[in-house]
Amino acid sequence: MIDWGNLARRPCSWLAEESSAGVILSTRIRLARNLTGRFFPQHAPRNERRGLLQEILDKTQSLEMFEGGHRLALQALEPLQRQLLGERQLVSQELVESPEERGVVVSGDERLSFMINEEDHVRMQAIRPGVDLDGAWRAVDALDDDLDGRLDFAFSSTLGFLTSCPTNVGTGMRASVQAHLPAVVLNKDLERLIEDLRSKRLAIRGFYGEGSAAFGNFFQVSNGTTLGVREAEILERLDAAARELADWEERARQALLSRARSLLEDKVWRSFGILRHARVLGAPETLNHASLLRLGVSLDFLKIPLRTLDEILLCAQPAHAQLLGGADGGTEVDARRAAMVREKLQHVER
Amino acid sequence: MIDWGNLARRPCSWLAEESSAGVILSTRIRLARNLTGRFFPQHAPRNERRGLLQEILDKTQSLEMFEGGHRLALQALEPLQRQLLGERQLVSQELVESPEERGVVVSGDERLSFMINEEDHVRMQAIRPGVDLDGAWRAVDALDDDLDGRLDFAFSSTLGFLTSCPTNVGTGMRASVQAHLPAVVLNKDLERLIEDLRSKRLAIRGFYGEGSAAFGNFFQVSNGTTLGVREAEILERLDAAARELADWEERARQALLSRARSLLEDKVWRSFGILRHARVLGAPETLNHASLLRLGVSLDFLKIPLRTLDEILLCAQPAHAQLLGGADGGTEVDARRAAMVREKLQHVER
């Protein structure tokens, strides 16, 4: 049994420790795999999907790396609990919204996991704090080897791994870095950055607030198609991208400082004042203020552990704030979120 | 010589001490008088106005009650210095903008003053903290007696004192109270209140931000025409009005509390967060946040001496903030205002 209130309060272990925190929040590698001789999930009859979920859960039960973690059939969870898993980057929005015959297996530290019956039969992922493509790759590769010994993955000697969507055929790999780019956004450099990334066949999208708006100026940058590209090449490309993203952000920060230092400082301190004292806080507003504080800390305007801000960014999300509940379960969620944020910022050295 | 920077930093002595502060900030009584056998100022040739200014300054030089105060020909002042006097309620906007052949005499504690060559030859005023119509009346009446002995005031046995504008003929008296009505405004009761006041022949206008917008929800409520009304009657009417204004505000506060307590509390704390931490603050914004804090203190949401907030309201005004200058004269005025506000709120017990 999961203690959801406790989980909602607990920072992810892949949040960076102070030393490594910065523009790149985390690195993630995902591998898509399918079982030989079966329909892809969206073409499989419900019966077959149900059987497959059970089969995969059974065959992976003894995996050592998931001891102390969770093995979950999503259908058995409340919508809010699924959403919490989504906010912690453990399941996709697809699984949050359509849990039927789908599952997720998560390691105790949440750094390693795999979804069952998403777009593909198995989607593994490894997350690491900061820029760590090697570490994430080694972890997900080891999991891939382990699973391959238990499940028969579909592989073509000419195409590579077969996947439901043609863009994933080949390595079935998507590597991404989660970048915090507040100065790029404030300095109106985002469009130029997106063009630059596109020319390098890299994709960018919002990190918090999936898809549409990039709340808090967090972005996820990943490789595009994987067919005809080797794993090592993808890792190298993302590693270079991570360095470039940091450079873009740094240049934008310098431009902002030389052009509008005092207005920027004011903006940051107002965000601090609001987060430190507000009694009612919505999620998008909180993410945006915390994002500005993260920038302010990097610019030495004020002293708050980045780790504290990253915890706020995680726990201010809708399902997290809702599940914080506990003793004051009757309070409105926006009031509960504000109380959580105030508490985290209470002892901040200014 | 006036030390303007010092004056800009000094609270007015008519700001209420903690004990008496509340809905009614201050009481003011003004008397309009003209000298016999002269043109009213706006009809007098420039020469005559100049002579009159000098004559009145000369004849009132030995008045004891103005010892330690200021005797100023407005033409000799910088525009910013005149504006400061306006913000301290010592001269009208008319005198700030058109200083030619005009003057003001102010007592050391700024509670008693008279303008020369405004709409009338002499306009005396007495200000007192809180509701104090008797005190203000005794002070201005004593000044009136003193001046009448030195200047020959135009008086008609049928009409009373003659004034430039017919609405002032009779007593030449305007009594007003300065009321802080944030809940009335938030609760959208202002229109009903204005109607109620009108039916009692009372006028209401913005206090800060003269005329148009009522920044900070401060209002000035005064008697209308004075012809055919005795002084005592005006004082009684205003005294009743002060009590009613306090009732209106109290009712609106209770309505807000029962309807939207947590949102109101949030609004107040956000205002505190912004004033306590912002690095750049405009005047209207500061007045509005300080107004909300004043409401929050009255509702026991937070503890700040009302006196501190009233000082902020006074010193955040444009000329005050500009003249705060001093050592950091190079800083932008909005940054200087923010620094002043932060300093005043620094040691506030929360």
Side-chain angles (χ1 to χ4, degrees), chain A residues 50-95:
Chain A
R50 186 176 307 148
L52 225 119
L53 171 62
Q54 203 47 59
E55 179 185 339
I56 297 176
L57 283 174
D58 288 347
K59 288 186 173 169
T60 59
Q61 198 140 23
S62 60
L63 276 175
E64 260 178 43
M65 49 186 100
F66 291 101
E67 263 174 33
H70 310 297
R71 306 168 58 78
L72 304 165
L74 290 174
Q75 227 163 336
L77 303 183
E78 303 287 331
L80 209 55
Q81 298 169 341
R82 294 199 300 272
Q83 201 185 329
L84 185 90
L85 296 178
E87 289 173 1
R88 295 176 86 80
Q89 315 282 329
L90 297 172
V91 301
S92 63
Q93 203 49 32
E94 175 84 18
L95 262 66

Side-chain angles (χ1 to χ4, degrees), chain B residues 306-324:
Chain B
L306 278 188
R307 168 76 185 208
T308 300
L309 296 175
D310 290 343
E311 286 178 20
I312 288 174
L313 286 159
L314 177 76
C315 299
Q317 295 180 92
H320 276 77
Q322 191 79 47
L323 286 164
L324 279 173

